[in-house]
Amino acid sequence: MTRLFGALAALTDVTITVRPGERRAVLGSNGAGKTTLFNCITGDFPPSSGTIRFFGEDITQFPPYERIRRGLRRTYQISALFPGLTVQDNVYLACRGVSRGRFSFLRPGQNDALMHATETLVQAVHLAGVKDQRVAELAHGQQRQLEIALALAGAPRFILFDEPAAGLSPTERRELIEILTSLPAHMGYIIIEHDMDVALRVVESVTMMHNGRIFKEGLPREIESDPEVQELYLGGGHE
Amino acid sequence: MSLLQSTQFRPDPSANATRRALLRAWPELQNPAAWLVALILVIMPLIANGFFLIEIFATTLILGVIALSLMFLAGYGGMVSLMQLTIAGFAGYMVAVFGMSGNANISLGWPWWLATPMALALATLFGTLGGALAVRTEGIYTIMITLAIGAAFYYFTNQNWAIFNGHTGINTVATPHFWGVDWRSDIAFYYVTLGVAAICYFAVQYVSRAPFGLALQGVRDNPRRMAALGFNPNAHRIAAYAFAAFIAALGGVLQVWNYRQISPGSVSVGACIDVLIIAVVGGITRPIGPFIGALIFVLLRTFALDVLIKLGLDGNRFRLLIGLGFLAIVFWSSDGVIGLWERWRRRSASSTQRSGGGRHG
């Protein structure tokens, strides 16, 4: 899989190539362009120039929903859920969005395959106990977990996690790591994460970004011990 | 679903899941008040005379259906459309134009069973096209663009004589007669409106929990995330306009059968805004809201005049009463009479058992 970029301002000539099934962390201080990178990949904000390839297919001109239907998924740094709907309905929508019958006027029956898929996902992110609650009533940690569930619906081929651990308690972080490491091997992802303990434990490669450019790429161990990176991350992290 | 199968999967143990789902889908089923209202509506011709049957209840049901189409768009889709009455009026005009009326130079004289589906189809198309324009905008601009469509249609009917017969409109519109029944006779017509209103009500209720309705609520809450889940938000919005237009068109057909005439006054900007008032006063969070709003509106419109005169005031000031009521509702309960009632019920429920969970309001 190849992704090429060249968006101006927030991102300058960023090229990032991720193999199918690869798990990569994107690190960098605030304003480094990490989330902008995600927005370009999913089409929330198209890049000003450059191309995006997804499993060899040029998806640069596709609207976001076409990219999602091809197996791309993302989570949002600030939970982007449907507060007026229940947990179950949120997950059901995610399952429905990547299958047929998005416009169906018929309610799903008890044995509907998507209802089972929804049930499984809700269990997987430990939200079964609150599945009939409206999302607006959930605790922050539960909303973050739901955020992940929405990205796991259907058959994702590649997922973009935008700071999934933000605001989570140590226990919830452990659960998150467990979820990420138990994903099927063919499912690659990019994770943006400030918590090095989370980020470096769930990836095999790291891209370091700074001021909209790629600063360094390497293995987690290399990045962790790189003096330049430490300088940047610890010293200049609060720009 | 190979995903995360390692984590424990505990199937829903309850045997009454089906029953629960049924009650969740149709909360009315376990509500004795709903059964009582249904019963009263069905036996209404036994207790009410022709005036009440038509001027109050049939009129309420018709306005309720038109306002229901707005409730669907605004409540589930977050789109406030002021053109729902215009769509209804368009359907009414089409019934008069394609069917039979006193204006033989205009009406094509089709039988009702041809003219009515034609009117419904054209009005749905009209509403869908209007919606396709409106979904390019959000919030206040949606209101403006739909109001502009309504105003343009009003002035067009006023000035067009070839089809809409200008400001005199089309009179003595024929109503259906078949199976030996005059379906515009008071009792028969009451049941026709009740049947259509019930179908529309349950259809909206049903669709709100179907994938289409859920997705529409998702688009209302967060269109960007919907796109990131594989949905095309604008396509959903346009489809919602089409569905709402069909409901409004049904109301419009009933309305032209009710009054047997239609003129630009029926599609005036004031009438468009009345529909908004009805929906907001009743409450746009649930399909029952527009019907409650319509009943309040019709009662005020019919009786406020007498009450005001008894109090020694000008009877034409009934709109002032409606306006004041509207202000009071918007001020104290942003989700209408339904919201007031729900909050009251929740308060009385929480006094018996402490269970938190503040809904929006």
Side-chain angles (χ1 to χ4, degrees), chain A residues 39 44-45 64-66 68-69 72-76 79-86 88-90 92-94 96-98 101-108 110 113 116-117 119-121 123-126 128-129 131-132 134 137 146-148 150-156 178-179 182-184 186-187, chain B residues 1-14 16-22 24-27 72 202-240 242-243 356-360:
Chain A
N39 285 336
D44 284 33
F45 304 119
Y65 51 88
E66 287 293 348
I68 301 304
R69 291 174 197 176
L72 183 65
R73 300 284 189 278
R74 80 169 289 182
T75 70
Y76 287 84
S79 294
L81 306 164
F82 310 108
L85 301 177
T86 63
Q88 171 150 325
D89 289 344
N90 270 261
Y92 179 75
L93 276 182
R96 184 53 86 170
V98 287
R102 283 176 282 262
F103 287 87
S104 173
F105 272 56
L106 294 179
R107 287 179 182 175
Q110 279 295 302
H116 285 300
E119 198 87 12
T120 313
L121 260 180
Q123 303 265 358
V125 293
H126 313 295
K131 72 184 168 80
D132 289 326
R134 287 165 75 251
E137 296 161 8
L146 181 57
E147 183 71 39
I148 290 172
L150 296 195
L152 297 179
E178 194 185 307
I179 289 175
S182 67
L183 289 176
H186 70 271
M187 223 179 268
Chain B
M1 288 303 101
S2 62
L3 202 62
L4 300 160
Q5 215 115 76
S6 57
T7 44
Q8 77 284 12
F9 175 67
R10 184 168 41 81
D12 199 347
S14 56
N16 57 1
T18 318
R19 205 182 100 87
R20 252 194 9 238
L22 191 71
R24 201 161 94 94
W26 305 104
F72 179 77
F202 286 113
V204 167
Q205 182 92 320
Y206 181 87
V207 167
S208 75
R209 305 283 321 151
F212 174 68
L214 276 180
L216 188 62
Q217 293 167 70
V219 169
R220 171 200 65 195
D221 282 0
N222 197 337
R224 187 175 156 202
R225 182 55 184 256
M226 282 305 275
L229 292 180
F231 291 91
N232 180 347
N234 272 354
H236 259 88
R237 289 189 175 124
I238 294 173
F243 181 67
R359 288 197 158 194
H360 64 96

Side-chain angles (χ1 to χ4, degrees), chain B residues 14-96:
Chain B
S14 56
N16 57 1
T18 318
R19 205 182 100 87
R20 252 194 9 238
L22 191 71
L23 288 177
R24 201 161 94 94
W26 305 104
E28 290 86 356
L29 284 179
Q30 60 178 358
N31 185 351
W35 285 101
L36 188 67
V37 169
L39 180 72
I40 291 175
L41 283 172
V42 168
I43 62 163
M44 189 66 81
L46 297 176
I47 32 185
N49 61 20
F51 169 79
F52 268 89
L53 218 47
I54 298 303
E55 298 300 326
I56 303 295
F57 292 107
T59 309
T60 292
L61 290 169
I62 294 168
L63 281 175
V65 167
I66 299 171
L68 177 70
S69 77
L70 170 57
M71 177 271 144
F72 179 77
L73 286 175
Y76 297 132
M79 301 174 285
V80 178
S81 158
L82 285 183
M83 66 173 179
Q84 296 314 108
L85 182 94
T86 305
I87 295 162
F90 185 83
Y93 263 113
M94 290 304 106
V95 166

Side-chain angles (χ1 to χ4, degrees), chain A residues 5 7 45 65 68 71-72 77 84 89 114 119-120 125 130 145 165 169 171 176 180 197 226-227:
Chain A
F5 269 108
F45 304 119
Y65 51 88
I68 301 304
L72 183 65
Q77 185 180 357
D89 289 344
L114 288 183
E119 198 87 12
T120 313
V125 293
V130 292
Q145 263 156 328
S169 70
T171 321
L176 174 71
L180 291 178
D197 286 341
D226 188 301

